[in-house]
């Protein structure tokens, strides 16, 4: 198998406020019984009281400055958990040495490129789960993954593509059970190495990718280095992680 090829790629509804107080049935005098002769006025609520009870409908604001300018693919809502199924890639020191060489060269074309902090191969899109769905969803994944075999893959899959399609098929069946989006049609499996804000495909395509591929091809033992031994599937839902061993 040759060294792995490098690729570049790019409601809650508001509730109506209830009227304060209740209206009694009108009496014989034409004015509702027990109603004050003075106009019904709502007194303003002090700010100190308002801030004691934040609205449960509002989630934290997305502050892109806290995560490198990246924005959520969907808005945060209380009770919704962003969920993603993937294969982890545990980077060895030699892999990180290769990545540093690639990034150093790539930043001459796209200076804003940033190295990924962790590496994985996606088996699903990012979807939204309600909190009470998490455990049934994970259990369904475990049932599907129990019969799947392990395999090997490079940065972009050059072997084992059919086995990864089998994994995706099992994940998709769980997604369909929960009425969630399935994975992409005809997916290209890959491990992301770096990212940047904005569309930089024009700078990355052409000469740069060829030059980066030469660095990979010339790197010592790159063919073995860029293989990934997949022993488990992981599911991340919010800040929770679930592991599903592969046979």
């Amino acid at each position: 198998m040759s060294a792995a090829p490098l690729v570049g790629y790019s409601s809650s509804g508001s509730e109506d406020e209830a009227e304060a107080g209740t209206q009694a049935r009108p009496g014989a005098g034409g004015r509702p019984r027990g109603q004050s002769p003075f106009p019904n006025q709502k007194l303003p609520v002090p700010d100190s009281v308002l801030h004691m009870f934040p609205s449960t409908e509002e989630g934290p604001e997305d502050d892109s400055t806290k995560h490198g300018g990246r924005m959520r693919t969907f808005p945060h809502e209380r009770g919704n958990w962003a969920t993603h199924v993937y294969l982890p890639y545990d980077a060895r020191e030699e892999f990180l040495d290769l990545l540093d060489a690639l990034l150093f060269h790539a930043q001459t074309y796209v200076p804003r490129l940033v190295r990924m902090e962790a590496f994985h191969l996606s088996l699903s899109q990012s979807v939204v789960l309600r909190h009470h769905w998490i455990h049934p969803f994970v259990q369904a994944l475990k049932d599907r993954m129990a019969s799947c075999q392990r395999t090997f893959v490079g940065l972009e899959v050059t072997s084992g593509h059919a086995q990864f399609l089998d994994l995706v098929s099992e994940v998709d069946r769980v997604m369909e059970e929960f009425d969630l989006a399935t994975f992409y049609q005809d997916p290209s499996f890959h491990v992301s190495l770096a990212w940047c804000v904005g569309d930089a495909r024009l700078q990355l395509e052409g000469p740069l990718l060829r030059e980066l591929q030469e660095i990979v091809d010339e790197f010592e033992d790159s063919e073995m280095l860029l293989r990934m031994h997949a022993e488990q599937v992981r599911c991340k839902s919010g800040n929770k992680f679930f592991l599903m061993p592969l046979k």
Side-chain angles (χ1 to χ4, degrees):
M1 183 185 79
S2 62
L6 287 157
V7 291
Y9 51 90
S10 293
S11 63
S12 61
S14 59
E15 297 180 356
D16 293 333
E17 294 182 357
E19 290 290 328
T22 57
Q23 291 185 346
R25 293 176 57 190
R31 189 178 70 223
R33 297 175 69 183
Q35 179 174 314
S36 168
F38 300 103
N40 185 17
Q41 296 179 346
K42 293 183 179 180
L43 297 177
V45 180
D47 289 342
S48 59
V49 176
L50 286 173
H51 294 158
M52 291 172 60
F53 307 99
S55 170
T56 57
E57 295 293 326
E58 296 179 1
E61 293 183 2
D62 288 332
D63 187 352
S64 62
T65 62
K66 294 181 179 179
H67 34 84
R70 289 172 291 180
M71 296 295 293
R72 293 179 183 270
T73 54
F74 38 78
H76 173 88
E77 292 185 21
R78 190 179 298 274
N80 284 354
W81 292 60
T83 303
H84 178 221
V85 183
Y86 63 95
L87 288 167
Y89 177 66
D90 296 323
R92 301 189 328 216
E93 185 176 352
E94 296 86 349
F95 174 84
L96 297 177
D97 290 341
L98 171 58
L99 180 53
D100 286 341
L102 292 171
L103 192 60
F104 179 79
H105 187 76
Q107 285 174 335
T108 63
Y109 288 78
V110 187
R112 64 183 186 276
L113 276 174
V114 179
R115 191 175 87 173
M116 299 292 293
E117 296 178 1
F119 308 94
H120 66 268
L121 185 145
S122 293
L123 297 177
S124 80
Q125 300 190 56
S126 291
V127 297
V128 173
L129 282 180
R130 301 296 294 175
H131 185 266
H132 60 275
W133 287 358
I134 294 176
H135 287 289
F137 177 85
V138 171
Q139 185 58 54
L141 277 178
K142 289 181 177 179
D143 294 342
R144 294 290 181 188
M145 295 295 109
S147 60
C148 293
Q149 302 293 327
R150 69 186 64 173
T151 188
F152 295 89
V153 68
L155 295 188
E156 183 183 28
V157 171
T158 56
S159 65
H161 194 275
Q163 290 91 335
F164 276 92
L165 285 177
D166 289 341
L167 282 175
V168 168
S169 177
E170 299 297 339
V171 175
D172 278 352
R173 292 176 70 176
V174 176
M175 294 293 181
E176 290 170 348
E177 289 179 25
F178 288 81
D179 198 24
L180 298 170
T182 56
F183 204 42
Y184 307 104
Q185 294 293 322
D186 302 321
S188 172
F189 298 106
H190 60 270
V191 175
S192 298
L193 302 178
W195 67 275
C196 69
V197 175
D199 188 347
R201 284 175 293 178
L202 289 179
Q203 297 100 302
L204 291 172
E205 292 172 352
L208 174 58
L209 279 183
R210 290 194 294 271
E211 293 164 9
L212 294 177
Q213 188 66 57
E214 290 175 2
I215 295 175
V216 172
D217 295 341
E218 295 172 1
F219 200 84
E220 184 178 2
D221 296 329
S222 62
E223 182 174 328
M224 295 300 299
L225 176 63
L226 297 179
R227 289 189 175 188
M228 182 171 74
H229 195 193
E231 296 183 334
Q232 61 182 228
V233 171
R234 292 184 188 175
C235 176
K236 181 178 184 293
S237 188
N239 58 359
K240 300 179 183 293
F241 290 85
F242 304 89
L243 311 183
M244 286 142 277
L246 297 174
K247 285 187 176 182

